[in-house]
Amino acid sequence: MRNMRAVRLRAYGPPEQLSVEEVPEPRLERPTDVRVAVRAAGVNPIDWKIRAGGQRGAIRLKLPWTLGLDVSGVVTEVGPGVRRFSVGDEVYGCPDHRRPGSYAEQCVVAEANLAKKPRTVSHVEAASLPLVGLTAWQCLLPRLARRPGQRVLVQAGSGGVGTFAIQLAKHHGAWVATTCSKRNHALVRSLGADLAIDYHEQRWEEAAGDVDVVLEAVGERERALRHVGRGARVASIVSGLPERTERYGPNLGLVVTALGVAGFWLRGRLRGVDAVTVVKRNDPGQLEAIAGLVEAGAIRPVVDRVYPLAEAAEAHRYGQTGRSRGKIVLET
């Protein structure tokens, strides 16, 4: 068996716990597995939350571990049950967090978690898309696909999910307001936002007025519920749990998470609001549809900084400043 480079997390803690090591190449474990030569890996907030150990109550890793939930690369091997891909195909998608991820030269991903890479963009750009694209899609499309002309509020519009969500909502005919700092107003307007709200100076509920859909991304779920009318949708990508969940243990953490999700849904139900907590699920059909929108020019990837694999720790440090616009990507 040959070796490869991978960024390994040996102990929970600060970015310094990430280091590049030589490890054995991954093997296919299931008939529907696909081995991918990683060209680029997206960096997401969940990565540094996991690295710091704050999510141990919900996500339990067997250290040492390789992070990475976004990948773009080239297929190098397929299992006997794979039907959609062949060796040499360029693919993108989301590795499962229960298996070693994409901060490596190669990773193994289930066929159902991949789609053909958009042909019109680079691997770096493609790696910025899967997790945020699926998240935004699952927040917005249940409403926008059925009801055109909605008024949508996207919180944190200059972030990874936000930059994608603005474009997706505009593509579906929505009027879009978004919150971000003033320095990012030009960016969000270039993506199609009709109203950019500086959250330091204005309250979104006063600036945007009545909205039909809120993509809640900053931990203000109850505020969103209070300021939307009956029939609205509040889709939160924040679990409502404290940042540090390790005290719950792996099983109780999942129970606490489920109770928080159910409680939010129930409070919304009592107000006549569709209140949902969106945890990205893999969907190859949605990945294919996202690729089609990118190729058609309806969605453009927004990449802030690109780091070599060996500088994963620095990528995490930058991401944790909260100043990144769009996505951070590692390139192998």
Side-chain angles (χ1 to χ4, degrees):
M1 180 182 293
R2 294 179 297 179
N3 283 351
M4 67 173 187
R5 293 185 309 144
V7 176
R8 303 278 272 173
L9 174 66
R10 290 206 158 267
Y12 294 115
E16 290 75 21
Q17 295 293 349
L18 298 174
S19 60
V20 177
E21 301 178 10
E22 290 283 326
V23 300
E25 290 180 344
R27 292 181 173 178
L28 304 188
E29 299 173 350
R30 303 164 191 165
T32 53
D33 277 348
V34 176
R35 185 147 60 107
V36 178
V38 179
R39 298 292 184 260
V43 177
N44 295 285
I46 188 62
D47 297 347
W48 56 77
K49 292 176 183 178
I50 293 172
R51 186 216 71 229
Q55 298 296 306
R56 277 178 280 173
I59 299 175
R60 204 76 167 181
L61 302 180
K62 185 177 180 181
L63 301 179
W65 193 255
T66 300
L67 300 173
L69 297 172
D70 276 325
V71 68
S72 182
V74 179
V75 174
T76 59
E77 185 181 3
V78 298
V82 172
R83 298 291 179 264
R84 295 167 48 235
F85 305 110
S86 302
V87 171
D89 285 345
E90 294 188 320
V91 295
Y92 83 133
C94 290
D96 192 301
H97 74 267
R98 291 179 288 267
R99 304 173 79 176
S102 57
Y103 287 20
E105 291 180 323
Q106 297 190 58
C107 67
V108 170
V109 186
E111 178 184 27
N113 294 0
L114 295 169
K116 293 285 185 67
K117 179 185 84 67
R119 296 185 300 270
T120 54
V121 298
S122 67
H123 282 291
V124 164
E125 292 170 310
S128 75
L129 293 168
L131 190 146
V132 299
L134 289 171
T135 300
W137 191 283
Q138 290 158 21
C139 285
L140 299 179
L141 264 292
R143 174 63 64 90
L144 300 186
R146 297 196 311 268
R147 304 184 192 177
Q150 299 281 287
R151 291 175 63 87
V152 174
L153 173 77
V154 175
Q155 291 186 316
S158 62
V161 173
T163 52
F164 193 101
I166 290 168
Q167 297 177 82
L168 184 65
K170 289 303 295 183
H171 177 71
H172 282 83
W175 177 91
V176 180
T178 189
T179 59
C180 61
S181 62
K182 191 168 292 184
R183 76 183 186 94
N184 291 319
H185 283 192
L187 169 65
V188 298
R189 289 190 181 110
S190 75
L191 299 174
D194 298 284
L195 176 64
I197 303 167
D198 183 350
Y199 59 88
H200 296 293
E201 299 180 357
Q202 291 178 290
R203 295 181 64 81
W204 64 259
E205 57 270 30
E206 297 170 356
D210 294 334
V211 294
D212 303 297
V213 183
V214 177
L215 195 164
E216 198 287 300
V218 298
E220 297 179 346
R221 303 193 305 177
E222 299 306 316
R223 177 181 170 188
L225 281 181
R226 290 195 304 270
H227 291 99
V228 296
R230 296 185 68 84
R233 175 179 173 87
V234 177
S236 177
I237 60 174
V238 181
S239 69
L241 280 177
E243 279 296 298
R244 305 199 67 80
T245 61
E246 67 269 29
R247 65 179 178 273
Y248 297 121
N251 297 319
L252 184 56
L254 294 175
V255 172
V256 171
T257 301
L259 289 174
V261 169
F264 178 55
W265 175 84
L266 180 59
R267 290 190 295 278
R269 187 81 171 176
L270 293 173
R271 292 174 178 269
V273 174
D274 180 20
V276 294
T277 302
V278 175
V279 178
K280 181 272 305 171
R281 69 182 184 278
N282 281 310
D283 186 312
Q286 291 176 8
L287 282 172
E288 290 169 359
I290 289 166
L293 291 179
V294 173
E295 291 176 353
I299 301 284
R300 66 175 173 92
V302 179
V303 176
D304 186 335
R305 295 189 184 182
V306 181
Y307 292 85
L309 192 64
E311 295 181 15
E314 186 58 35
H316 276 223
R317 288 188 198 96
Y318 176 59
Q320 287 185 259
T321 66
R323 295 181 62 80
S324 60
R325 306 201 296 177
K327 288 293 292 289
I328 303 165
V329 178
L330 301 177
E331 190 170 24
T332 58

